[in-house]
Amino acid sequence: MKRCLGYILMTTMAYAMMIYYFMNPQTSYYSFRSNVMSEPSDTQNIPWWREALCKGTDQQGARMLELPWLQRDVEPPASDSNIFLVETACKTTPSFRVWCAIESWSRQNPSSQVWYVMTSLTVNDTDGLVSRLQEQYSNLRVVGADVEKIFEGTGLHDLFSSRKWIMKATWSAVQLSDLLRVALLWRWGGFYTDTDTVCIKDVSPLRNIISFSNNKRNHISNGAFQFKHHHKFLELLMEVQTKRFKPGSWVSIGLEAVGAVAKKLCNITDWSNLPGSKGDPVECGDLTLLPPKYLLPLPWTQNKRLFAKGSGEHFFPKFNSTYVIHLFSALTRNKKLHIGENSIYEVAAKTFCPVTFKHATADSDSF
């Protein structure tokens, strides 16, 4: 009798679980598949863009997390509270500095959903850092992406499908990143940021913004910006990117394109015609151009200060108005953060990505 009752109870529980997961497919996939340790499947159909983009990259590792796919398994809401970071070079093992960026955005923006969108199918969790970050920050989502599906129905679909960006472009991963960030925000809205950043303040007050890259106000940066989904700036930007794309130029659909759109919406032909003080935001209808102190407090020409000994002194009063610190990885990727030197980056990393910092420096005096 007891055995019979036990069997009935187990059967009932199993049935209830099946019903729950069929009714909540996205939740079940993310909570299980994101913790599966596996190797990439050789039987999967590889799309043309991944075959070309990921050729020669290392897709193997001792412990690989198979990623849920954006749109297929989990989908962001259309919301200003989304934060997107992207990886477009098929890297399965992002650097500690990338994970520091991801952690800082998750930590400083607890009411936002942080999406790290990867072009690889898996992420390397051999050292357990990815799992630790996902356990620590419930708002962090590490996902794979079928970028072809993301571009469907957007103003960039024809350019993406033409394959010009990957067949002729010198910097394919950079070109894809410039396109993908726009498509993601157009589709879902929210904040986009490069992965060579540290977020030091909640960015939720910032809406429909983009930043000047210097105090001269003659260049616009596309390394961090926020827009509601289907915003006019994004619509125009996709048009300009499609028309101005030059395979041999890494700025044609990046800095040049965002600058052209900003001028158009501000109804100017020259930056010298902008009104107001150089230290104040400029409003052009439903678009705000921020001075660099908010998102780019240090110009690229001062990148050495980020790692200079003692540069982190008075960090908090110095960056009181700042939301994001940019590391300029193209220039600083070979510079090391030495523990105890009190550099700007050391103070930022210890404070705003503590899990990653502790993990990275457990057996090393540099980061």
Side-chain angles (χ1 to χ4, degrees), residues 19-284:
I19 292 296
Y20 174 81
Y21 289 120
F22 275 119
M23 295 296 291
N24 300 274
Q26 291 183 352
T27 302
S28 62
Y29 186 94
Y30 194 84
S31 60
F32 282 93
R33 292 293 291 276
S34 66
N35 291 302
V36 172
M37 302 297 182
S38 64
E39 298 292 345
S41 172
D42 293 328
T43 61
Q44 291 177 323
N45 294 324
I46 302 176
W48 62 267
W49 62 267
R50 181 174 283 124
E51 186 174 13
L53 191 68
C54 303
K55 186 177 182 180
T57 60
D58 182 12
Q59 298 288 309
Q60 303 298 315
R63 292 166 62 87
M64 307 297 288
L65 292 178
E66 185 176 349
L67 298 173
W69 281 21
L70 198 65
Q71 291 180 282
R72 187 191 71 180
D73 306 311
V74 61
E75 184 158 0
S79 170
D80 284 334
S81 65
N82 291 315
I83 295 174
F84 293 99
L85 303 92
V86 304
E87 186 288 311
T88 54
C90 298
K91 294 180 180 178
T92 58
T93 310
S95 68
F96 286 135
R97 291 184 185 177
V98 170
W99 289 119
C100 177
I102 294 166
E103 180 182 358
S104 72
W105 285 91
S106 303
R107 184 181 187 275
Q108 297 305 108
N109 300 273
S111 62
S112 297
Q113 292 295 311
V114 178
W115 301 86
Y116 183 37
V117 182
M118 305 184 69
T119 47
S120 61
L121 298 173
T122 57
V123 62
N124 192 341
D125 193 40
T126 301
D127 62 3
L129 178 58
V130 181
S131 295
R132 288 190 63 193
L133 291 176
Q134 289 186 317
E135 291 170 2
Q136 182 73 26
Y137 303 101
S138 60
N139 61 333
L140 172 60
R141 303 286 184 266
V142 183
V143 297
D146 182 348
V147 296
E148 187 168 17
K149 188 172 182 180
I150 292 174
F151 284 115
E152 285 180 2
T154 75
L156 293 172
H157 183 255
D158 289 346
L159 175 57
F160 175 80
S161 300
S162 72
R163 309 191 184 192
K164 293 177 181 178
W165 62 274
I166 203 166
M167 302 303 293
K168 298 181 180 180
T170 307
W171 304 279
S172 297
V174 175
Q175 304 280 25
L176 179 59
S177 177
D178 283 336
L179 298 174
L180 185 58
R181 67 188 69 180
V182 179
L184 287 168
L185 289 203
W186 180 86
R187 189 175 288 280
W188 291 295
F191 207 106
Y192 166 81
T193 174
D194 286 345
T195 55
D196 57 343
T197 56
V198 180
C199 181
I200 66 174
K201 189 185 295 185
D202 189 335
V203 297
S204 59
L206 304 179
R207 291 290 183 264
N208 301 320
I209 56 91
I210 199 162
S211 174
F212 286 106
S213 59
N214 58 50
N215 287 313
K216 296 179 180 179
R217 302 199 306 180
N218 57 2
H219 291 289
I220 296 289
S221 169
N222 71 335
F225 51 89
Q226 198 282 344
F227 289 102
K228 65 181 180 182
H229 81 291
H230 295 184
H231 192 279
K232 186 176 182 180
F233 184 95
L234 302 173
E235 296 273 5
L236 290 174
L237 181 54
M238 290 189 288
E239 291 180 14
V240 170
Q241 287 178 316
T242 300
K243 292 177 181 178
R244 294 195 176 195
F245 175 70
K246 299 174 184 177
S249 171
W250 67 273
V251 297
S252 66
I253 57 175
L255 303 179
E256 289 182 1
V258 295
V261 175
K263 283 182 179 179
K264 183 177 180 64
L265 291 182
C266 290
N267 197 29
I268 60 172
T269 57
D270 192 280
W271 290 119
S272 62
N273 296 327
L274 276 176
S277 167
K278 290 185 178 181
D280 296 329
V282 178
E283 294 187 4
C284 302

